[in-house]
Amino acid sequence: MTINTAVFDLNCTACPRLSQFLLENKEKYPEYHARPVPPFGVAKPKLLIVGLAPGMHGANATGRPFTGDHAGIILYEMLYQHGFSNKPISLNIKDGLKLKHARITNAVKCLPPDNKPVGGEINTCNHFLVEELKTIDKKAVILCLGLISHKAVIKAFGLKQSDYPFIHGKAHKLDDGRQIIDSYHCSRYNTNTKRLTEKMFSDVFKQIRVELKL
Ligand code: URA
């Protein structure tokens, strides 16, 4: 997929704290991607999955969302089980993995210290999401992984946060035919504590297939 710079800019340095952190990271791990991580998947997705931000030794290292991150193990497995990809495991950008109908992006494109982007960084990065949402199918489902990604998507659509509370499994139908479906983030913490079980996550994907009539 060719991505225009309104949707993603590999050279973006708009957040001083994040770009400084990436420079330090590249020095420490020269073999890492250590730059903004581009969206991965099809050009006009029926399903857009929005994560939080690249993980240090995962997406930040490999250059592909969730690839190498613990959270990616269950995410890519689910995508495969529910017919959204050709392989259950995501290893690196040369592994031949292809998504079907789907694309994965992050609310914040750069690795944040301690996995925590600050509010200003989430807002600064939001214009990329605004543009990306213009490229998806008219009837697309946007799957928000966690509260921060949910809020970033609501903001990118210009909607009022209080009208769209984050609720796991909730489908928020938008006037234009699209819908936002919320899920707890598939982070190691959430899966270890069983806030998000495999069954719960699988049920979200079943719901998405029904909504998309796939
Ligand atoms: N890796 C990503 O790319 N995004 C997340 O939200 C978590 C891990």
Side-chain angles (χ1 to χ4, degrees), residues 37 51-55 59 64-67 69 71-72 105-106 145 185:
V37 173
L52 171 58
R64 191 163 75 186
F66 288 91
T67 299
D69 283 310
T105 194
N106 279 308
L145 297 178
H185 194 288

Side-chain angles (χ1 to χ4, degrees), residues 187-205:
S187 64
R188 189 196 294 263
Y189 179 82
N190 282 348
T191 51
N192 280 352
T193 58
K194 307 265 187 271
R195 170 177 276 194
L196 181 71
T197 63
E198 206 170 313
K199 166 146 189 344
M200 285 163 74
F201 207 30
S202 184
D203 285 347
V204 169
F205 279 90

Side-chain angles (χ1 to χ4, degrees), residues 117-142:
V118 298
E121 292 158 352
I122 299 165
N123 291 341
T124 299
C125 211
N126 201 255
H127 66 97
F128 290 120
L129 209 47
V130 171
E131 294 304 318
E132 189 162 11
L133 288 170
K134 291 179 190 166
T135 70
I136 65 178
D137 192 83
K138 279 203 189 92
K139 295 267 156 66
V141 165
I142 300 112

Side-chain angles (χ1 to χ4, degrees), residues 135-204:
T135 70
I136 65 178
D137 192 83
K138 279 203 189 92
K139 295 267 156 66
V141 165
I142 300 112
L143 171 62
C144 295
L145 297 178
L147 176 64
I148 294 176
S149 108
H150 166 92
K151 284 190 166 174
V153 168
I154 297 296
K155 181 178 166 65
F157 271 125
L159 300 169
K160 207 168 145 197
Q161 299 288 349
S162 55
D163 289 344
Y164 300 89
F166 174 88
I167 300 169
H168 174 84
K170 165 104 182 153
H172 303 272
K173 314 249 177 188
L174 307 185
D175 291 343
D176 66 2
R178 297 175 208 205
Q179 50 186 311
I180 296 168
I181 295 188
D182 292 334
S183 170
Y184 292 129
H185 194 288
C186 49
S187 64
R188 189 196 294 263
Y189 179 82
N190 282 348
T191 51
N192 280 352
T193 58
K194 307 265 187 271
R195 170 177 276 194
L196 181 71
T197 63
E198 206 170 313
K199 166 146 189 344
M200 285 163 74
F201 207 30
S202 184
D203 285 347
V204 169

Side-chain angles (χ1 to χ4, degrees), residues 1 8 28 50 53 100 112 125 168 174:
M1 186 180 74
F8 174 76
K28 199 164 169 194
V50 185
K100 299 180 200 166
C125 211
H168 174 84
L174 307 185

Side-chain angles (χ1 to χ4, degrees), residues 36-55:
V37 173
F40 168 55
V42 303
K44 201 173 174 60
K46 292 183 196 299
L47 171 61
L48 180 70
I49 299 167
V50 185
L52 171 58

Side-chain angles (χ1 to χ4, degrees), residues 54-137:
M56 167 91 80
H57 303 294
N60 172 67
T62 62
R64 191 163 75 186
F66 288 91
T67 299
D69 283 310
H70 190 270
I73 298 174
I74 184 167
L75 176 61
Y76 282 108
E77 171 66 37
M78 284 298 147
L79 285 166
Y80 179 69
Q81 275 182 25
H82 292 275
F84 290 103
S85 77
N86 66 341
K87 286 169 184 237
I89 297 172
S90 172
L91 294 173
N92 57 59
I93 53 166
K94 293 190 180 143
D95 61 7
L97 175 67
K98 286 206 167 37
L99 300 189
K100 299 180 200 166
H101 307 300
R103 193 198 295 159
I104 309 175
T105 194
N106 279 308
V108 174
K109 307 295 187 264
C110 295
L111 167 74
D114 301 321
N115 291 328
K116 284 193 189 86
V118 298
E121 292 158 352
I122 299 165
N123 291 341
T124 299
C125 211
N126 201 255
H127 66 97
F128 290 120
L129 209 47
V130 171
E131 294 304 318
E132 189 162 11
L133 288 170
K134 291 179 190 166
T135 70
I136 65 178
D137 192 83

